[in-house]
Amino acid sequence: CSATQARNYCVYPTDRDARDAVTIIFDDLQRLEPNEYLNDNLIDLKIKYYYCNLLNDNKENNLNGCKSSGSVGTKETEKTVHAFSCMFYSKLTEPSKNTTEKENEHEQYRSGHKLVSRWSKNFKVFNMDFIVIPINLSSHWSLAIIVRASLIESLVQKKIKEKEVRDGQIVNQSDSNQGMNLKTSTVGGTGTGNVPCILHLDSLDMHSCTKQCNICKEYLKDEWKAKMSEKHSDHEEVAMDVIDKLTYVKCKVPQQVNGYDCGIYICKFVETLFHKLPTSTPEDIKNQFTNWWNPKSYSPADITAERKQFLEQLKEIRGVCIWNNNPNINSNTNLSSSSSSSSPSSSTIEKVKS
């Protein structure tokens, strides 16, 4: 195998032609040892694993990856939930060569949007109910979640109609509702009363919630200008105002007791999100989403167990890669660093077959 393949422990999804597959190299495994800090490869794979689990209707058979054509509801879920890779935030906030720290931050983020504008080419941001954004700053991981961007367009339409009524363009208030198809979100309960917002989850309270949520707002504004302005060409100002006024929520999450478990925590946050798909009512916002995340959601023992489970999942994924003859990994079963995990177990094979 090539020098690159010699370094590769496993690939997920395991299909050799999988799109946006995440590759784990042998050196990454050391990051799952106690007292080690998770890197972007591991977090990207874990989030993708949870995402595929969501699309696969939370079934155990998740080793091959996401279903290409799932059961009823799977396609709809795929259309309303998206998780960006860890690289997204780094690119979005990459300093522009033409701006300095003293210049307008928005101009910097607008420059960053140019670097990520194509990252949404396969989905529509303003159709999404949940957009997951892992954040890495100062050797620490936290998580931002844009909740129900799918409702922003309806809010913009509502504000436009209200403005037309105030300006006398519509005489009869009932006429203002004609042609309006105010969208409601159906993911996560009935969707009744859901509103868009932005969440920030940080197991060390190290990153500024306000700053990270404002970065998300700037992304939404630039995305609107790039993808929605033609449809609402005369009302860009209204859309910018709606996005500016989105509520941000600093969720009360468990706090880590060390300086290295932050990556495991954000993986647990994503697991809870994908498993429960929370509502986003004004009451949820007022309570800081404590029905889904609260200071006692996970114990330090849960986090330790998650590390061990993650390593076992990687072993199983590697086994499936070998079983599928995936050419992108080093399948040498005599390597000392992987001798205990390179051959698929009988239980793994049965899961893959099923």
Side-chain angles (χ1 to χ4, degrees), residues 129-185:
D129 279 320
F130 300 100
I131 300 173
V132 173
I133 304 176
I135 297 169
N136 185 268
L137 284 172
S138 304
S139 299
H140 175 61
W141 292 102
S142 67
L143 188 74
I145 306 171
I146 300 174
V147 179
R148 294 191 167 83
S150 56
L151 300 181
I152 291 175
E153 185 177 11
S154 291
L155 287 177
V156 171
Q157 290 175 329
K158 181 180 178 181
K159 293 295 183 182
I160 291 171
K161 295 300 181 182
E162 290 175 352
K163 185 176 184 298
E164 289 174 347
V165 170
R166 289 196 305 270
D167 294 346
Q169 296 177 33
I170 297 178
V171 178
N172 190 338
Q173 177 65 44
S174 63
D175 293 340
S176 68
N177 294 323
Q178 291 183 9
M180 288 184 66
N181 181 20
L182 294 182
K183 185 176 180 181
T184 58
S185 169

Side-chain angles (χ1 to χ4, degrees), residues 143 197-210 213 247-253 255 284-290 293-295:
L143 188 74
C197 59
I198 303 173
L199 313 184
H200 185 236
L201 300 86
D202 188 340
S203 59
L204 267 183
D205 279 343
M206 182 174 172
H207 296 159
S208 166
C209 173
T210 301
C213 291
T247 302
Y248 62 81
V249 181
K250 181 179 180 180
C251 295
K252 295 181 179 180
V253 297
Q255 295 296 289
D284 294 324
I285 292 173
K286 179 182 178 181
N287 294 330
Q288 296 176 277
F289 286 77
T290 50
W293 299 279
N294 62 69

Side-chain angles (χ1 to χ4, degrees), residues 66-262:
C66 306
K67 293 178 179 178
S68 57
S69 56
S71 58
V72 176
T74 297
K75 289 184 178 180
E76 286 305 309
T77 303
E78 188 173 8
K79 291 178 182 177
T80 56
V81 180
H82 182 78
F84 282 118
S85 71
C86 296
M87 184 63 68
F88 174 81
Y89 181 86
S90 299
K91 286 293 184 183
L92 179 64
T93 57
E94 185 173 297
S96 170
K97 296 178 181 179
N98 299 321
T99 60
T100 67
E101 291 182 3
K102 295 181 181 180
E103 291 180 304
N104 192 316
E105 274 192 345
H106 175 64
E107 293 303 317
Q108 177 180 322
Y109 300 141
R110 179 179 295 173
S111 174
H113 181 266
K114 294 177 182 177
L115 300 177
V116 299
S117 61
R118 289 181 57 80
W119 290 44
S120 58
K121 66 179 181 179
N122 293 320
F123 72 97
K124 295 180 179 179
V125 165
F126 294 99
N127 283 356
M128 294 292 114
D129 279 320
F130 300 100
I131 300 173
V132 173
I133 304 176
I135 297 169
N136 185 268
L137 284 172
S138 304
S139 299
H140 175 61
W141 292 102
S142 67
L143 188 74
I145 306 171
I146 300 174
V147 179
R148 294 191 167 83
S150 56
L151 300 181
I152 291 175
E153 185 177 11
S154 291
L155 287 177
V156 171
Q157 290 175 329
K158 181 180 178 181
K159 293 295 183 182
I160 291 171
K161 295 300 181 182
E162 290 175 352
K163 185 176 184 298
E164 289 174 347
V165 170
R166 289 196 305 270
D167 294 346
Q169 296 177 33
I170 297 178
V171 178
N172 190 338
Q173 177 65 44
S174 63
D175 293 340
S176 68
N177 294 323
Q178 291 183 9
M180 288 184 66
N181 181 20
L182 294 182
K183 185 176 180 181
T184 58
S185 169
T186 57
V187 172
T190 63
T192 304
N194 285 335
V195 295
C197 59
I198 303 173
L199 313 184
H200 185 236
L201 300 86
D202 188 340
S203 59
L204 267 183
D205 279 343
M206 182 174 172
H207 296 159
S208 166
C209 173
T210 301
K211 182 173 182 178
Q212 305 317 316
C213 291
N214 280 339
I215 289 172
C216 292
K217 288 182 181 181
E218 295 300 332
Y219 169 71
L220 289 173
K221 288 194 285 187
D222 288 333
E223 187 72 8
W224 183 281
K225 292 174 184 177
K227 311 288 175 63
M228 303 289 285
S229 58
E230 184 176 345
K231 183 177 180 182
H232 301 279
S233 57
D234 297 331
H235 303 287
E236 184 176 286
E237 185 178 339
V238 176
M240 298 303 100
D241 183 62
V242 167
I243 294 172
D244 262 331
K245 291 179 179 177
L246 291 180
T247 302
Y248 62 81
V249 181
K250 181 179 180 180
C251 295
K252 295 181 179 180
V253 297
Q255 295 296 289
Q256 63 193 82
V257 295
N258 53 53
Y260 46 79
D261 273 337
C262 49

Side-chain angles (χ1 to χ4, degrees), residues 270-338:
V270 173
E271 180 185 30
T272 298
L273 172 71
F274 286 171
H275 181 65
K276 298 186 177 180
L277 296 175
T279 56
S280 57
T281 65
E283 188 72 14
D284 294 324
I285 292 173
K286 179 182 178 181
N287 294 330
Q288 296 176 277
F289 286 77
T290 50
N291 286 340
W292 293 275
W293 299 279
N294 62 69
K296 296 184 178 180
S297 294
Y298 329 110
S299 68
D302 293 331
I303 300 303
T304 299
E306 183 70 18
R307 275 187 184 270
K308 295 178 180 178
Q309 182 186 38
F310 195 172
L311 183 58
E312 291 305 312
Q313 287 171 339
L314 290 181
K315 291 178 180 180
E316 288 193 311
I317 290 170
R318 174 171 168 78
V320 177
C321 288
I322 294 173
W323 179 257
N324 290 341
N325 295 314
N326 191 308
N328 299 311
I329 69 162
N330 183 352
S331 59
N332 185 352
T333 59
N334 295 320
L335 291 172
S336 59
S337 60
S338 61

